[in-house]
Amino acid sequence: MKNLMMIHLESLNYQLFMSFPEIFKEIHKIKNEGVLYNHYFSTATSTLMVLGDIFYGGKEQYEVCTSMDYIPKDYFYKDSLFDELKRNGYKTGIFVYPDGGDRESAEERHIAGFQNKMVLIPKYEELLETVEHLISEEPFAVMVCNYISNINFNCYVDNDNILDGTDKWKLGYQYLDKCVGDLIKLLKKKQKLEDTCIVLYGDHGDDFWGHGMHQGLTHAIEPFTNLIHTPMLIFDNNEKGRLKENLVCATDLRQIILVKLGLRQCSKNIKNEYVIARSAYAAQPIRKESFNKSYSITDGKFILIVSNYGLEMYDIEMDFQCGYNLLEQFSIDGLVIRYNVVNKSEIYYHYYHFMEKQEGEIIRLRQTTYYLRKRLYDETLKLYEAAGRTEKEMTEEMSFYKIHYKYQ
C-alpha cells in the first residue's frame, strides 16, 4: 500500500508562490519533479473551513454552525478522509505547529474526523521527531499543518535581526519552505520517499487591505481570487513533471488522494465546470466590517462574487487581485443585465478599443454573468438548506440582483 504525506501551505496563494521561487525553493523542487495543478481553487477563505472541506470531501458538514465554536447536533458526513484511511489499516497522524488558534473548538466539532484528532506540537524539533516516529511503520498517512506563515503566528519565527513586520512576513514563508524540505529529508532518511504520495495544498491567500481595511483582517473575508487561487502539488512516482490545467478544488482532494492510494477507482480526471467558495458558514451572520459573508463562483477565467452589497465580477487572468468590478459598466433591471452606453468623448481611448469596439466582449460578459449567477444562486441555496435556512433568508442576505458599485 502506498503511504501518504499531506503538507498544509498556510496563507499561500498561487501568485505569491509562482512569483517568488527564491522564497519557496523546496516547494518548487516538488513542483519541478511532481504535478502542479494550476487551476486549483480553495473552497473557503479561512483555514478551519478549508480543513473541514478537505477532510470530509464536501462543504455541508458545518454550514449549520453559527460560529467557529458551534458544535453540530448531527453531522452531514459520518467519517473523514483520515477516518477512512485508518479503517483501511493506515497509521494516521495529523499534527499542528506552532500554535493551534481555534484548534480546541475545532476538535470538539470533530474537524479531523471521528477517529482522528489534530495534535498540537509547539516545538519544531518535537514535530519532526513525532513525524519520524510515525513514518517508521507502513502504511502511514500523516498530515503536517505548519501555521508559522500565518500572519498571526509568524511571531514564532527567530526574531533576531528582524527589521520590521514585512521581514517577519517573508521569514514566515521561508520557515514554511524549510519545513517542507525537512519533511522530505525524513522520508529519504527512512527510505520511504519512493513509496509515498506527497500532497501539498494552499488553504487560502491573504489580502493586504486591497479591498478595504476589514478591521485589519487579511483572510476570512470575501473569496477574491487572491484568497482562493492557491498552489496544489502532488509528488508521486507514478506521475512526474506534469502540469494539470483541469479545474479542481479543495473538496476534490479526498477523492484524488484515495485514487492515488489505490483505495478508490476513478475512470477519468476530475474536471469541474465551476468552483464555489465562501467566507462564512450559511448559518453565520453578516458582519460587513470584518468577516463579510460572501460567496463566489469561478470557471477559471471569471469569478462572480455575491454579498449583501451586490454582485462583482472579475476577469481573473487579467485582474488577479480583483481590482475592478467589470459589472460597473452594466445595470440590472430585474433579471435583465444591460450595458451602460458611455459617451465616447468621456472615456479613455484604450477602454474604447477593449470594450465598446469589441461588441463580442460586452455580449460575453452579459452571458457569463447570467450563467454564473444562476449556478451561484443554486449552489448557495444548497448550503443555506444544509444549514436549515430558507431561500427567503438567503435572498435577504445575498443581493443577487444588484451590482456592487464602488467607483461610480
Side-chain angles (χ1 to χ4, degrees):
M1 295 172 68
K2 187 176 285 291
N3 304 305
L4 172 68
M5 176 174 283
M6 293 185 70
I7 304 176
H8 178 98
L9 304 176
E10 174 65 30
S11 299
L12 179 60
N13 70 27
Y14 185 86
Q15 186 180 54
L16 179 62
F17 168 67
M18 294 298 287
S19 298
F20 298 97
E22 68 277 13
I23 297 178
F24 306 103
K25 294 178 182 178
E26 298 297 333
I27 305 175
H28 271 268
K29 288 179 184 177
I30 296 175
K31 177 185 77 71
N32 296 335
E33 297 175 4
V35 179
L36 171 67
Y37 290 74
N38 70 339
H39 282 86
Y40 173 81
F41 288 83
S42 189
T43 48
T45 60
S46 69
T47 301
L48 289 181
M49 291 181 71
V50 175
L51 285 174
D53 294 347
I54 290 173
F55 284 133
Y56 290 101
K59 295 187 286 290
E60 294 88 351
Q61 187 79 325
Y62 298 108
E63 292 300 314
V64 70
C65 295
T66 55
S67 71
M68 290 295 174
D69 295 326
Y70 184 93
I71 301 174
K73 296 179 181 178
D74 193 19
Y75 289 91
F76 191 92
Y77 304 103
K78 304 306 180 184
D79 74 344
S80 71
L81 167 63
F82 276 72
D83 290 344
E84 185 171 352
L85 292 175
K86 180 173 279 190
R87 281 201 316 275
N88 279 275
Y90 279 81
K91 184 179 180 182
T92 60
I94 306 169
F95 308 113
V96 175
Y97 164 85
D99 196 328
D102 297 320
R103 185 194 60 84
E104 290 184 3
S105 61
E107 283 304 310
E108 293 178 3
R109 294 192 290 133
H110 300 287
I111 193 80
F114 300 94
Q115 305 299 323
N116 286 274
K117 293 184 177 181
M118 299 182 72
V119 179
L120 176 63
I121 302 178
K123 295 183 179 180
Y124 186 67
E125 292 303 322
E126 183 183 350
L127 172 69
L128 296 180
E129 290 171 2
T130 303
V131 172
E132 182 175 3
H133 177 73
L134 187 143
I135 67 174
S136 297
E137 299 180 25
E138 293 187 338
F140 62 79
V142 60
M143 181 176 188
V144 177
C145 298
N146 184 346
Y147 292 159
I148 202 162
S149 50
N150 186 304
I151 200 166
N152 291 318
F153 299 139
N154 63 22
C155 57
Y156 289 92
V157 304
D158 184 356
N159 287 313
D160 292 344
N161 301 317
I162 295 296
L163 298 178
D164 54 37
T166 56
D167 286 344
K168 194 189 301 181
W169 169 84
K170 180 179 178 180
L171 195 56
Y173 286 118
Q174 291 173 325
Y175 274 43
L176 172 66
D177 187 65
K178 178 182 181 302
C179 179
V180 173
D182 289 341
L183 292 170
I184 300 301
K185 288 177 184 177
L186 285 180
L187 290 173
K188 291 179 178 178
K189 176 183 175 181
K190 293 290 186 178
Q191 298 181 334
K192 307 291 186 182
L193 183 61
E194 300 301 312
D195 298 320
T196 302
C197 176
I198 305 170
V199 178
L200 298 88
Y201 70 91
D203 60 334
H204 58 74
D206 282 334
D207 183 280
F208 292 101
W209 313 290
H211 297 91
M213 283 298 292
H214 288 287
Q215 296 182 351
L217 296 169
T218 54
H219 53 259
I221 59 173
E222 296 96 322
F224 297 108
T225 310
N226 57 324
L227 274 85
I228 63 170
H229 189 197
T230 64
M232 202 272 270
L233 309 99
I234 294 180
F235 176 86
D236 189 317
N237 270 335
N238 296 329
E239 195 173 24
K240 292 186 177 182
R242 290 189 58 189
L243 176 68
K244 288 201 173 182
E245 301 191 70
N246 49 311
L247 190 63
V248 296
C249 67
T251 52
D252 296 324
L253 271 179
R254 181 172 182 171
Q255 178 177 335
I256 291 172
I257 289 169
L258 292 174
V259 169
K260 289 285 184 184
L261 299 182
L263 298 175
R264 186 173 295 180
Q265 298 297 317
C266 182
S267 58
K268 58 183 179 179
N269 289 331
I270 294 170
K271 187 176 182 180
N272 299 296
E273 291 184 17
Y274 52 80
V275 171
I276 303 293
R278 71 273 197 234
S279 61
Y281 296 129
Q284 288 184 274
I286 292 175
R287 290 179 284 174
K288 290 185 179 181
E289 298 305 317
S290 55
F291 300 101
N292 190 28
K293 189 175 181 179
S294 183
Y295 296 82
S296 74
I297 181 171
T298 182
D299 60 3
K301 165 66 174 174
F302 293 98
I303 189 168
L304 182 71
I305 301 174
V306 67
S307 68
N308 190 255
Y309 294 119
L311 294 170
E312 305 169 49
M313 189 168 76
Y314 304 93
D315 184 324
I316 63 178
E317 292 179 340
M318 296 177 63
D319 182 14
F320 182 87
Q321 296 296 125
C322 298
Y324 182 66
N325 178 11
L326 292 167
L327 295 182
E328 294 218 21
Q329 300 303 321
F330 295 80
S331 62
I332 293 180
D333 181 9
L335 296 176
V336 180
I337 301 171
R338 292 187 174 89
Y339 179 68
N340 289 331
V341 179
V342 181
N343 187 326
K344 293 181 178 60
S345 64
E346 297 176 356
I347 63 175
Y348 289 105
Y349 174 84
H350 293 111
Y351 176 81
Y352 169 63
H353 279 268
F354 174 74
M355 182 69 84
E356 295 204 10
K357 195 173 182 180
Q358 304 295 327
E359 185 177 354
E361 184 66 22
I362 297 172
I363 295 172
R364 177 167 75 155
L365 291 176
R366 289 179 67 248
Q367 295 304 317
T368 299
T369 305
Y370 284 132
Y371 171 81
L372 293 179
R373 181 176 65 176
K374 175 65 170 65
R375 280 144 188 84
L376 180 59
Y377 187 100
D378 291 344
E379 295 291 344
T380 303
L381 180 57
K382 289 179 184 177
L383 297 177
Y384 269 74
E385 289 174 342
R389 305 192 68 191
T390 65
E391 185 174 6
K392 182 176 183 294
E393 289 176 304
M394 179 188 77
T395 55
E396 287 175 349
E397 292 186 346
M398 298 293 118
S399 299
F400 283 94
Y401 303 101
K402 181 175 73 174
I403 292 171
H404 183 194
Y405 295 104
K406 299 179 184 178
Y407 299 110
Q408 289 192 6

